[in-house]
Amino acid sequence: MVTVPYSELQLRTRNRALSDVGHFLVISIFILVVIFASGAGVGILFPDLFASADQLAAESPMARFVWYPVYLLVLMLSLPKLMEIIRLATFSPLLILCVLFCGLSMFWSIDPPTTLRRSIALLLTSYIGLTLAAWFSWGRLVQIIAIAFLFIGLITIALVVMDPGRAIMQEVNAGAWRGPFAEKNQLGGMMTKGLIAAICAFALRPKRGWLYLPIALLCFGLVLASTSKTALLISMLCIGTYIFLKLYRTNPVTRIPLIFTLVMTIGFFSTALAMFPEVMFGLIGKDPSLTGRTDIWALLSEAIQQKFWLGYGYGIFWDDPLGPSYIVRQVLEWGVPTAHNGWIEIWLSAGVGIVILFALQILITLGFALYNIRNGGRETYWVVLTLLSYIGFSMSESAILQQNSLSWILFVATCAKLFTLQHDFRPLRDENKLEANLSSQS
């Protein structure tokens, strides 16, 4: 039998094809990981866990068990990028320190085994974020997230059509869409992230606007369908910020008027909120207590004073019905599942130390983001909008340092790439305008 050797060109073509197939598989896996981490995966696989809006249902053994294959898969995918992951981690020392500090709280936790288990889950969740950052460029990362939210949006619509009793809330907040999630605010929060990913993917790759602009419209429509006021407010804020950044970065002549308008707008709304809080909150369908959140925070301030310095241990405060959360639930007469504020939540978990560490992390990240507005590439849109939404949601939801949380995964991935000064220096102006300018100069 005669064998004909491959030519060098054929070998290169074959190797390139195999590399493309492998990269496509990696992208597909990470799209599935994003979908699963959003909570949609658990909601679809185990709908009985979300028979009520109690978020603690997601802490059941079965819901935890399905995360183990995800951890294992990401650990395997991280091996080719291990050195890059280590490099990203060394550029994010405060982020790593915050995660490790949560683990150290097991030594003073009121339930050390549970704190240890959830701290390991937090560490692995953070590792997923680092792996995402190591594998992909800014453009590819944001596009993966946008495509994942396209599937989440389509899944939500399919559930509403096929199983409206499950996908639409029936008793509390009747008529509000929740899709595969526990309740409407979770759908609204996720679709806000999808909206941000879609408009930022458009900013990074304008020629694919035919794909990303419809995704943005789909996500915004689902924000409206969820009737989540917080998600709607943050979505509108992010859209406005995107327009501001677009004008500021592409039209230098408008920068001073834009900054003046921004300062005046912030001043107007701050003054109106201080003087007429009931009217301002009424405009978005809220009361000054933020749907009872301020009552929760007032009671939790007393719990914080009891363990001001070290907290109760990571992820423990709400577990035992007869534990430290008993008074809060007894006074408010309902099963409060979380603090509904990320800062208060981490204070309860690990004391004032973790609050200071994470506040420094936010300030440094904000500093890098502001620097990027003028000096960064197109990734600036994603960095600024992600940070803005993360801070916004952390004020009304327990979104900081949460294990098995897509919000935390995206925050870690964004910070890790940001701190290594990786940029997407594609032309800031429209490509067609740039080509026209170049041709006219020649």
Side-chain angles (χ1 to χ4, degrees), residues 242-431:
Y242 173 82
I243 296 171
F244 173 86
L245 291 174
K246 188 71 173 177
L247 293 173
Y248 183 90
R249 288 167 58 82
T250 57
N251 298 281
V253 71
T254 64
R255 287 178 179 175
I256 292 178
L258 282 171
I259 293 174
F260 176 77
T261 302
L262 177 65
V263 172
M264 293 299 294
T265 302
I266 293 174
F268 171 78
F269 281 104
S270 299
T271 302
L273 186 61
M275 297 182 65
F276 310 104
E278 294 185 359
V279 174
M280 295 301 291
F281 282 113
L283 291 176
I284 59 172
K286 291 280 188 179
D287 59 86
S289 71
L290 300 176
T291 323
R293 284 178 172 84
T294 56
D295 298 329
I296 299 173
W297 300 340
L299 291 169
L300 290 178
S301 65
E302 300 175 8
I304 286 174
Q305 292 301 320
Q306 295 178 21
K307 288 186 177 287
F308 181 87
W309 297 105
L310 297 176
Y312 296 82
Y314 177 71
I316 290 303
F317 185 82
W318 302 98
D319 270 18
D320 186 357
L322 300 178
S325 62
Y326 173 78
I327 296 178
V328 177
R329 290 166 172 155
Q330 188 73 10
V331 171
L332 298 179
E333 299 181 342
W334 69 285
V336 184
T338 69
H340 290 284
N341 181 289
W343 299 93
I344 293 177
E345 196 74 67
I346 60 173
W347 202 328
L348 292 168
S349 290
V352 69
I354 193 67
V355 175
I356 294 172
L357 285 174
F358 195 75
L360 289 173
Q361 171 69 37
I362 288 291
L363 289 174
I364 293 172
T365 307
L366 184 61
F368 271 81
L370 293 175
Y371 174 83
N372 262 30
I373 289 176
R374 186 178 179 87
N375 302 285
R378 289 190 172 190
E379 80 286 345
T380 299
Y381 296 101
W382 171 256
V383 170
V384 173
L385 297 187
T386 298
L387 182 61
L388 182 64
S389 66
Y390 192 79
I391 293 174
F393 279 115
S394 71
M395 301 306 294
S396 63
E397 304 294 340
S398 299
I400 300 175
L401 288 162
Q402 288 295 303
Q403 79 276 12
N404 302 340
S405 164
L406 180 60
S407 296
W408 182 246
I409 290 172
L410 298 184
F411 182 79
V412 170
T414 301
C415 290
K417 292 190 76 68
L418 178 65
F419 293 161
T420 54
L421 302 179
Q422 297 182 32
H423 299 292
D424 188 320
F425 279 123
R426 295 197 171 212
L428 296 180
R429 296 181 180 274
D430 183 79
E431 285 88 344

Side-chain angles (χ1 to χ4, degrees), residues 101-119 307 310-319 324 348-351:
F101 194 88
C102 290
L104 288 175
S105 69
M106 67 170 288
F107 291 108
W108 58 82
S109 171
I110 59 176
D111 186 356
T114 303
T115 291
L116 176 60
R117 172 171 54 78
R118 291 181 178 167
S119 298
K307 288 186 177 287
L310 297 176
Y312 296 82
Y314 177 71
I316 290 303
F317 185 82
W318 302 98
D319 270 18
L348 292 168
S349 290

Side-chain angles (χ1 to χ4, degrees), residues 35-335:
I35 294 172
F36 184 83
S38 71
V42 176
I44 294 170
L45 294 173
F46 306 103
D48 292 341
L49 291 177
F50 295 135
S52 69
D54 188 353
Q55 296 178 2
L56 292 179
E59 291 294 329
S60 72
M62 184 58 70
R64 292 197 308 267
F65 176 77
V66 295
W67 269 94
Y68 297 154
V70 176
Y71 296 149
L72 181 60
L73 186 60
V74 173
L75 286 171
M76 293 171 60
L77 289 175
S78 71
L79 293 178
K81 300 288 184 178
L82 189 57
M83 295 309 298
E84 176 65 12
I85 291 171
I86 294 173
R87 189 178 79 89
L88 291 170
T90 57
F91 276 91
S92 307
L94 267 178
L95 205 60
I96 303 303
L97 188 58
C98 287
V99 174
L100 295 179
F101 194 88
C102 290
L104 288 175
S105 69
M106 67 170 288
F107 291 108
W108 58 82
S109 171
I110 59 176
D111 186 356
T114 303
T115 291
L116 176 60
R117 172 171 54 78
R118 291 181 178 167
S119 298
I120 293 173
L122 175 63
L123 181 63
L124 291 171
T125 304
S126 305
Y127 192 79
I128 294 174
L130 292 173
T131 304
L132 262 175
W135 260 102
F136 304 111
S137 64
W138 281 113
R140 186 59 59 82
L141 173 64
V142 177
Q143 289 179 91
I144 285 172
I145 297 166
I147 295 298
F149 276 103
L150 168 62
F151 286 111
I152 295 171
L154 294 177
I155 289 169
T156 298
I157 293 174
L159 283 175
V160 168
V161 173
M162 295 186 297
D163 190 4
R166 161 70 183 89
I168 300 176
M169 300 190 72
Q170 302 298 320
E171 297 178 2
V172 181
N173 302 307
W177 288 21
R178 65 178 180 180
F181 302 101
E183 42 89 29
K184 68 182 186 70
N185 289 334
Q186 193 175 355
L187 173 64
M190 286 298 155
M191 289 302 106
T192 299
K193 295 176 180 62
L195 171 66
I196 293 170
I199 60 177
C200 291
F202 170 66
L204 284 156
R205 301 293 183 265
K207 291 183 178 180
R208 296 177 184 172
W210 59 270
L211 173 62
Y212 297 121
L213 290 179
I215 294 176
L217 290 174
L218 171 65
C219 292
F220 187 70
L222 291 175
V223 169
L224 295 176
S226 73
T227 71
S228 171
K229 302 301 189 298
T230 302
L232 178 61
L233 187 63
I234 294 176
S235 295
M236 296 297 293
L237 182 61
C238 287
I239 292 172
T241 304
Y242 173 82
I243 296 171
F244 173 86
L245 291 174
K246 188 71 173 177
L247 293 173
Y248 183 90
R249 288 167 58 82
T250 57
N251 298 281
V253 71
T254 64
R255 287 178 179 175
I256 292 178
L258 282 171
I259 293 174
F260 176 77
T261 302
L262 177 65
V263 172
M264 293 299 294
T265 302
I266 293 174
F268 171 78
F269 281 104
S270 299
T271 302
L273 186 61
M275 297 182 65
F276 310 104
E278 294 185 359
V279 174
M280 295 301 291
F281 282 113
L283 291 176
I284 59 172
K286 291 280 188 179
D287 59 86
S289 71
L290 300 176
T291 323
R293 284 178 172 84
T294 56
D295 298 329
I296 299 173
W297 300 340
L299 291 169
L300 290 178
S301 65
E302 300 175 8
I304 286 174
Q305 292 301 320
Q306 295 178 21
K307 288 186 177 287
F308 181 87
W309 297 105
L310 297 176
Y312 296 82
Y314 177 71
I316 290 303
F317 185 82
W318 302 98
D319 270 18
D320 186 357
L322 300 178
S325 62
Y326 173 78
I327 296 178
V328 177
R329 290 166 172 155
Q330 188 73 10
V331 171
L332 298 179
E333 299 181 342
W334 69 285

